Amino acid sequence: MTTHEFFVDMTCEGCSGAVTRVLTKLDVKFDIDLPNKKVFIESDKDTDVLLETLKKTGKTVTYIGPK
């Protein structure tokens, strides 16, 4: 499995809660670093799928790369 690093413009617990909700539906392992606005997702799914899923939160999302 590859760990992918994303920048997500999260400012509060509500933002990270939205990320948690969309990623839980994908059935992937993930870790949220709210202070640094980063999300780490461990998955073999295509990065485009992960990116589009994160964008469902309405936040600005950028793929940083594999970790």
Side-chain angles (χ1 to χ4, degrees):
M1 288 242 206
T2 306
T3 300
H4 302 280
E5 184 177 354
F6 292 87
F7 169 83
V8 182
D9 193 16
M10 301 174 289
T11 54
C12 64
E13 292 291 327
C15 299
S16 62
V19 170
T20 299
R21 278 192 301 279
V22 297
L23 290 179
T24 301
K25 292 177 186 171
L26 262 192
D27 194 31
V28 294
K29 281 187 179 177
F30 62 92
D31 186 37
I32 297 172
D33 179 356
L34 185 56
N36 293 313
K37 300 182 178 185
K38 301 256 178 90
V39 177
F40 303 95
I41 304 172
E42 189 177 319
S43 172
D44 287 330
K45 294 188 188 300
D46 190 67
T47 53
D48 289 337
V49 171
L50 301 174
L51 193 60
E52 288 307 310
T53 301
L54 286 171
K55 285 183 178 180
K56 289 179 184 174
T57 62
K59 302 293 172 198
T60 302
V61 181
T62 309
Y63 180 55
I64 296 171
K67 186 170 190 265

